[in-house]
Amino acid sequence: MKKSFRVLLLLIIFLFTLLNGVSAAKPTGGNTTSINVTSTSSYKSISLNYQLVNSKKAADRYNIYRGTQKIYDGVKTSFSDNGLHSDTEYYYTVEAWLNGKLLAKATYNAFTKAIIINPIEITATVHSDDSVVLTWPNLNSGLVPDQYKVFVNGTLNTTLAPSASSTQNTTLPGLPPGDHFIKIEGWYQNELVSQGSKMVSIPEPIVAKPILVTSTVHADFSADIYFPTPLDLQIDDYKIFINHDEVLNGSITQANYHISKLSPSQIYSVRIEAYSDGKMVGLGNTEFISPHLITVENDTLDFDSRVMQVYFSYDDSLQPTDRMVITRKKVILVNKVPTEDTGSEIVYDGKPIGMYIESQFSLDVAGYNYDVVNYRNDSVVGSGRGFVPNFFDY
C-alpha cells in the first residue's frame, strides 16, 4: 500500500515537472506586440511609415521623436519629416499608445539623399569699358537652383534668380585691371547644388594719344573737320560727337568729316575718338562758331541811271570782321523760270561796308544773287545772300 502510494506520488511529480518544462520552452517572441517602421528619403525629407505587429488592439495615438525632440503626436500611421539636411543620418523613436498606455515602441534610423554638385561652365566676355559679361547654361538635370550667387575674388558680388531661358547671364561692371577669380554657386533651398569658376583678366588701360583736330567754316553754313591720325596708331573705328551727339560710329577712309546746315551764330564742339580692337587709343577736341547771318536788302537809287543800292546788316560786335567779299551770280529766265547761272564774279573785296552801289545790269538778266561773306583773319565769321531784281529791264 505504501509502496503503491509512493509510486503514484513519484508519477505525479514527474508529470508536473514534464508539463512545466514544456511550458518554459514555448517561444514567446513571435507573439510580442511591436512596431514595424519603413521609410523613403529625398534630399530634404524622410517619410516614415509604421504599423503595429502582433497586436489585437489598435493604437489611438502615435508619438515620433527625432533624437530627443518630439516631432509628431497624432493618429496617422505615416509622417513626413521635412526641412532636413542632405546626406545626413537621422535617428527616430516611434511609440504606439492606447488609452494613455504604451503598447510598443521602436527605434529607427534613416539617411537623406546626398546632393551631387553639378559643374557650371562659365563663359566670360570682357568689354572695352572693362565690364565682364558672364554666361552659363541653366541646369536641366539634378536639383535645379532657385538662386545663383556670383563671387569676385571671394567676395559676394550679386545674387540672382534663374531666368526662364536656357542660359543665364549677368554683367560685372567696371572691374579694375588685373586677374579676377570668378565663382558662381547654384543653391536650392539653402543647399549648394552646382558651382563653377573662371579666371578673368582685365587689361591695363591704354592711354589715348592726343589727336589734333581742326575745323574750316564755310560761307554756306557748313564746316569741315580734320583730324590726322598719329602714324603709330592702328585705327579700326572712329566715333565723332557734335555738341555731345554721336554723328558717326564706324570706319572711314579719310580723316575728315563734313558738317552741313549749321545754325547761324552757334558754338559747335567736336570730339573725335579713335579705337583699335575696341579700345580708345586716340582723342581730340575742337570748337568753332558758325557764321553770323548777314541780311541783304536793296533799293533803287536812280532809276534813270540804272543804279541800285545793296544794304548789308551785320552786328560787328558778334565777331569783328576785317574783310568783306561780295560775289554776284546772274539769274536768267529759262522757259520763264528764274535760273541761277553757274558762273560768278567778285564785285567787291575789301574793308567791311554797309552798302554797295550797283550800276551794272545786263539786259538779259532778271536779277542777281549777291553772296556776302565777312572774314576775320581769313576765317569766315559772317555770311548772307540776297536777290536784287533787274527793275530796269523787267
Side-chain angles (χ1 to χ4, degrees), residues 74-294:
V75 298
K76 294 182 178 180
T77 57
S78 63
F79 173 75
S80 183
D81 192 8
N82 301 311
L84 306 179
H85 295 289
S86 62
D87 194 24
T88 303
E89 185 178 17
Y90 291 91
Y91 298 88
Y92 296 94
T93 300
V94 182
E95 297 176 345
W97 292 79
L98 176 62
N99 297 327
K101 293 183 179 180
L102 181 65
L103 292 178
K105 77 175 180 178
T107 58
Y108 187 80
N109 63 302
F111 282 87
T112 51
K113 285 185 177 181
I115 293 177
I116 299 176
I117 299 178
N118 289 314
I120 297 177
E121 295 184 5
I122 306 171
T123 300
T125 303
V126 180
H127 289 262
S128 59
D129 61 355
D130 294 335
S131 64
V132 179
V133 176
L134 303 176
T135 305
W136 65 96
N138 277 324
L139 298 175
N140 54 13
S141 63
L143 288 178
V144 178
D146 55 25
Q147 184 187 60
Y148 285 103
K149 298 180 180 180
V150 181
F151 297 83
V152 178
N153 300 325
T155 301
L156 180 63
N157 181 275
T158 185
T159 60
L160 60 156
S163 66
S165 64
S166 59
T167 58
Q168 188 80 31
N169 63 77
T170 188
T171 300
L172 306 177
L175 294 181
D179 294 331
H180 299 277
F181 181 71
I182 308 297
K183 184 179 181 182
I184 298 176
E185 296 178 348
W187 289 79
Y188 173 75
Q189 295 185 2
N190 297 322
E191 293 276 1
L192 180 65
V193 297
S194 58
Q195 64 181 1
S197 61
K198 193 174 187 65
M199 189 67 72
V200 175
S201 295
I202 304 296
E204 292 292 332
I206 299 175
V207 178
K209 292 189 175 183
I211 297 177
L212 177 63
V213 183
T214 60
S215 62
T216 299
V217 179
H218 303 291
D220 62 352
F221 292 92
S222 68
D224 284 302
I225 310 300
Y226 303 95
F227 40 95
T229 304
L231 297 178
D232 57 342
L233 292 183
Q234 180 65 41
I235 306 301
D236 301 326
D237 296 295
Y238 284 94
K239 289 183 180 180
I240 300 178
F241 299 86
I242 306 296
N243 291 343
H244 307 292
D245 294 328
E246 185 179 279
V247 296
L248 184 141
N249 185 347
S251 59
I252 52 178
T253 57
Q254 294 181 333
N256 67 278
Y257 183 78
H258 183 73
I259 308 172
S260 60
K261 298 180 179 179
L262 298 175
S263 298
S265 309
Q266 295 294 315
I267 298 176
Y268 286 84
S269 62
V270 181
R271 177 183 174 92
I272 308 294
E273 298 177 356
Y275 289 83
S276 177
D277 293 329
K279 290 286 186 179
M280 187 170 68
V281 295
L283 176 64
N285 297 273
T286 192
E287 189 175 88
F288 65 86
I289 300 177
S290 61
H292 299 288
L293 183 63
I294 299 175

Side-chain angles (χ1 to χ4, degrees), residues 321-326 348-355 373-374:
T321 178
D322 55 22
R323 178 187 172 203
M324 175 182 282
V325 176
I326 303 173
Y348 181 84
D349 187 344
K351 293 290 184 180
I353 57 178
M355 182 183 67
V373 181
N374 283 349

